[in-house]
């Protein structure tokens, strides 16, 4: 006598079946049926979770693509505006300089002109930030000694650190050398340091570290300021997002742009002991060991 076979739905590409003896009673049949149903339910749940995961991933990638498209349009518009403003600033600045020479004996007028000049200087800095953000040239790679670059940046802001009562600590290996665009990397690190300084108007501690992580080399700038809110963590690298009364909101966006240009990324998080830490991560292929 043939042995009855209870077939179930295929699982993982294989035909699954439960063999029952010819004299199997109803309880055995039901038990086998329940076993097959449970197995099918498990397969369904696995597939449901996988579909949900893929859907979430697709949605994230679509949002990222939409963001890049918006940033590309914004970049083109900002570059055009920046060039137009700079073209107008050059003659105005020249005329201000000529007018100051003619009013050397007029203290009141000179005071007004100095204020105007300060305003135009701030506007010129904004234009430079816009041009720096919209420029898309490929990195001109060279071997950069990280410790020398960090020391140069910290020394350049030393007067401001002293004025605000900020202590600085640098932990960067002397032998760490990165293959990167030095000027782009300098600007990104300087922006991170200035951002940290702005977060500590009443003093604190600035810590710059460099170490190798799973994804490559990581340059971290940490402060002992108030830290980041959830909104700030989500938007801190977005162009024109700022919590300051002054500034363009492009400093950290430029950091992100530099990271992207080198195939890396920029991240922000709160430190367990307080304050915030910003990390510039460069892939391992962009790092070279010193000879």
């Amino acid at each position: 006598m043939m042995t009855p076979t209870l077939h179930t739905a295929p699982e993982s590409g294989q035909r699954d079946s439960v063999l029952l003896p010819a004299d199997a009673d109803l309880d055995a049949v039901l038990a086998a049926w329940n076993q097959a149903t449970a197995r099918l339910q498990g397969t369904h749940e696995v597939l449901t979770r996988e579909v949900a995961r893929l859907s979430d991933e697709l949605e994230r990638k679509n949002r990222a693509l939409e963001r890049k498209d918006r940033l590309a349009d914004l970049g083109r518009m900002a570059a055009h505006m920046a060039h137009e403003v700079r073209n107008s600033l050059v003659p105005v600045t020249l005329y201000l300089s000529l007018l100051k020479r003619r009013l050397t004996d007029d203290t009141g007028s000179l005071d007004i002109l100095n204020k105007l000049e300060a305003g135009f200087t701030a506007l010129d800095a904004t234009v430079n930030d816009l041009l720096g953000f919209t420029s898309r040239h490929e990195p001109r790679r060279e071997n950069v000694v990280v410790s020398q670059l960090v020391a140069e940046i910290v020394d350049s802001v030393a007067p401001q650190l002293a004025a605000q009562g900020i202590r600085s600590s640098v932990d960067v290996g002397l032998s760490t050398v990165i293959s990167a665009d030095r000027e782009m990397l300098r600007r990104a690190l300087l922006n991170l340091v200035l951002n940290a300084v702005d977060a500590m108007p009443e003093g604190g501690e600035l810590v710059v570290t460099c170490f190798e992580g799973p994804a490559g080399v990581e340059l971290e700038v940490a402060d002992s300021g108030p830290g980041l809110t959830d909104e700030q963590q989500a938007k801190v690298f977005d162009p024109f997002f700022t919590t300051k009364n002054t500034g363009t909101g492009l400093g950290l966006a430029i950091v992100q742009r530099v990271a992207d240009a080198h195939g890396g990324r920029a991240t922000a998080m709160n430190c367990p002991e307080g304050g915030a830490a910003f990390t510039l991560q460069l892939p391992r292929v962009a790092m070279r060991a010193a000879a």
Side-chain angles (χ1 to χ4, degrees):
M1 181 180 296
M2 297 181 61
T3 301
T5 301
L6 176 62
H7 294 291
T8 64
E11 179 178 355
S12 303
Q14 300 293 327
R15 183 175 179 82
D16 194 12
S17 61
V18 178
L19 298 177
L20 297 174
D23 56 348
D25 57 14
L26 181 60
D27 290 339
V29 172
L30 290 177
W33 176 260
N34 289 336
Q35 180 184 6
T37 302
R39 192 175 302 156
L40 181 61
Q41 179 65 27
T43 301
H44 174 71
E45 291 175 356
V46 170
L47 290 175
T48 299
R49 289 195 297 269
E50 183 64 13
V51 169
R53 185 188 69 81
L54 291 175
S55 298
D56 291 342
E57 183 177 349
L58 179 61
E59 184 178 356
R60 286 195 301 270
K61 290 184 176 180
N62 285 337
R63 287 199 301 266
L65 182 60
E66 291 174 359
R67 181 177 181 273
K68 287 185 177 180
D69 290 339
R70 290 197 301 271
L71 290 180
D73 293 338
L74 178 62
R76 286 190 288 269
M77 179 184 70
H80 175 73
M81 292 179 59
H83 282 292
E84 290 298 320
V85 172
R86 169 166 282 182
N87 290 339
S88 299
L89 277 177
V90 172
V92 171
T93 304
L94 177 61
Y95 292 145
L96 276 177
S97 178
L98 294 174
L99 190 56
K100 285 181 68 175
R101 294 179 184 177
R102 294 187 179 186
L103 298 175
T104 54
D105 297 328
D106 189 341
T107 305
S109 297
L110 283 176
D111 184 54
I112 295 175
L113 286 177
N114 286 333
K115 292 179 179 179
L116 286 172
E117 190 174 37
F120 282 116
T121 299
L123 183 57
D124 186 61
T126 300
V127 170
N128 287 332
D129 279 346
L130 279 172
L131 291 175
F133 173 71
T134 56
S135 62
R136 291 181 173 273
H137 70 271
E138 290 297 317
R140 292 186 287 271
R141 295 183 183 274
E142 60 179 295
N143 286 338
V144 180
V145 181
V146 180
S147 59
Q148 294 178 1
L149 181 60
V150 171
E152 173 186 319
I153 292 172
V154 174
D155 287 345
S156 69
V157 298
Q160 188 171 355
L161 296 179
Q164 293 181 208
I166 297 175
R167 303 178 304 279
S168 63
S169 174
V170 176
D171 183 11
V172 180
L174 297 177
S175 62
T176 302
V177 177
I178 299 178
S179 176
D181 187 308
R182 192 181 195 280
E183 179 56 29
M184 292 176 69
L185 188 58
R186 185 199 68 80
R187 182 162 193 178
L189 288 176
L190 177 60
N191 285 353
L192 290 179
V193 169
L194 292 177
N195 182 75
V197 171
D198 288 341
M200 300 180 289
E202 304 300 325
E205 185 174 9
L206 169 71
V207 180
V208 182
T209 57
C210 178
F211 54 92
E212 290 188 54
V217 65
E218 300 184 8
L219 288 160
E220 182 183 272
V221 178
D223 62 69
S224 57
L228 302 168
T229 64
D230 291 341
E231 180 188 13
Q232 289 171 342
Q233 287 195 60
K235 299 181 178 180
V236 71
F237 292 108
D238 288 352
F240 306 110
F241 175 78
T242 180
T243 58
K244 306 171 187 175
N245 295 326
T246 60
T248 60
L250 288 174
L252 293 177
I254 291 174
V255 173
Q256 182 68 69
R257 177 65 57 84
V258 171
D260 290 342
H262 286 82
R265 65 178 183 139
T267 59
M269 62 179 292
N270 286 321
C271 302
E273 65 275 13
F278 292 81
T279 304
L280 181 61
Q281 300 176 338
L282 299 180
R284 192 172 298 279
V285 295
M287 185 177 64
R288 299 289 184 271

